[in-house]
Amino acid sequence: MKKRKKFIPHLLIAILSLIGFFLFINIFDPKNVFDVFFFKLPAIIIFFFLVFLFFGGLFIFILANTRRGILIGLFLVCFLLLQYLHYNNLFYTLILVAIILLTEIMFWKRT
């Protein structure tokens, strides 16, 4: 029988990013801009990064598959980004689902 990899660190990342996510939305204003070195980083980018870490880590732990967890996390962040930009059409969601499915098939055929 194949030995299962340990995905507990991914669950820990998901829990820590969820705590960071809740702290971030309670402390910072969405229009806030952070100065990181010579770049101005909007708060919304950090928001989407924390959402990706949470959903990616959670689905990696649930599915016990790193690739699929990252793809589902990426799908959810892209879907939320489309909603944020007011692209609420069903067509955009279907295109996003098709892109994620084709990416999964591409990696599945390769291995």
Side-chain angles (χ1 to χ4, degrees):
M1 188 158 99
K2 187 176 180 182
K3 186 175 181 181
R4 184 176 165 170
K5 291 170 67 177
K6 296 187 187 208
F7 289 99
I8 299 296
H10 297 289
L11 182 63
L12 182 65
I13 288 172
I15 291 171
L16 289 176
S17 64
L18 182 65
I19 293 169
F21 170 73
F22 282 129
L23 287 174
F24 186 78
I25 62 173
N26 286 322
I27 293 173
F28 295 108
D29 184 33
K31 302 205 185 294
N32 200 0
V33 177
F34 301 104
D35 288 328
V36 178
F37 298 112
F38 298 108
F39 299 106
K40 293 188 182 231
L41 191 65
I44 197 73
I45 292 176
I46 298 171
F47 169 79
F48 283 122
F49 179 71
L50 288 172
V51 169
F52 172 73
L53 281 178
F54 170 66
F55 282 119
L58 182 68
F59 281 107
I60 287 171
F61 179 74
I62 290 172
L63 299 175
N65 190 329
T66 305
R67 182 184 68 225
R68 289 183 182 147
I70 289 173
L71 284 176
I72 290 174
L74 190 62
F75 168 76
L76 290 171
V77 167
C78 290
F79 179 75
L80 290 175
L81 184 62
L82 287 175
Q83 297 300 312
Y84 175 73
L85 296 174
H86 301 291
Y87 288 115
N88 299 332
N89 196 347
L90 180 65
F91 181 67
Y92 295 120
T93 306
L94 292 176
I95 287 176
L96 187 60
V97 168
I99 289 171
I100 295 297
L101 284 176
L102 288 174
T103 306
E104 171 63 28
I105 290 171
M106 179 186 72
F107 283 122
W108 177 61
K109 293 284 185 179
R110 189 177 287 179
T111 56

